[in-house]
Amino acid sequence: MIKGFGGIFWRTKNLDSVKKWYSETLMLEINDWNGTIIKPQEGNETIFSFFTEQDNYFPAEQQVMLNFQVHDVNEMIKHLEHFDVPLAKPLECNEFGKFIWIKDPEGRLIELWEK
């Protein structure tokens, strides 16, 4: 019955700053209505997964973590360096792909994933 995610919505303390950061850093085209539409492409998938409160995969005080699938994590790292965005977790490679973490302007961890 589920076709996919309809959206991800959250409140922010500084709308203009957060919009600019997501637009420049993650190259998301943020529209006048304060959002964007990401259309799936071949090979792109969305994972929906639960974690226990005790799981240490991401900080317990952060209830939700975004994961964006990227084409090339190494190119993304170069792009992030251009904007002086430090990695919150160094490159990790495993059987599921390549992963890095960054933080948005309000300190939310974001995982970037190359499958």
Side-chain angles (χ1 to χ4, degrees), residues 70-81:
V70 300
H71 293 284
D72 184 327
V73 76
N74 293 317
E75 285 298 316
M76 190 68 195
I77 291 170
K78 289 178 190 171
H79 174 76
L80 294 169
E81 288 171 350

Side-chain angles (χ1 to χ4, degrees), residues 3-5 28 37-47 67-71 113-115:
K3 287 174 64 176
F5 280 102
L28 292 172
I37 297 173
I38 300 171
K39 296 184 180 181
Q41 301 171 352
E42 184 70 32
N44 187 10
E45 57 189 37
T46 301
I47 306 296
N67 170 300
F68 289 104
Q69 190 172 347
V70 300
H71 293 284
W113 167 45
E114 179 185 330
K115 183 177 173 187

Side-chain angles (χ1 to χ4, degrees), residues 18 28 34 36 48 52-53 83 89-91 95:
V18 170
L28 292 172
N34 300 327
T36 189
F48 180 69
T52 67
E53 288 183 346
F83 285 97
K89 175 181 170 181
L91 177 64
E95 67 271 19

Side-chain angles (χ1 to χ4, degrees), residues 6 14 22 24 39 48-49 68 76 84 103-106 112:
N14 188 327
Y22 277 84
E24 291 178 353
K39 296 184 180 181
F48 180 69
S49 181
F68 289 104
M76 190 68 195
D84 295 321
K103 289 184 179 182
D104 80 1
E106 295 184 352
L112 303 175

Side-chain angles (χ1 to χ4, degrees), residues 81-94:
E81 288 171 350
H82 176 74
F83 285 97
D84 295 321
V85 176
L87 297 184
K89 175 181 170 181
L91 177 64
E92 176 185 321
C93 300
N94 61 39

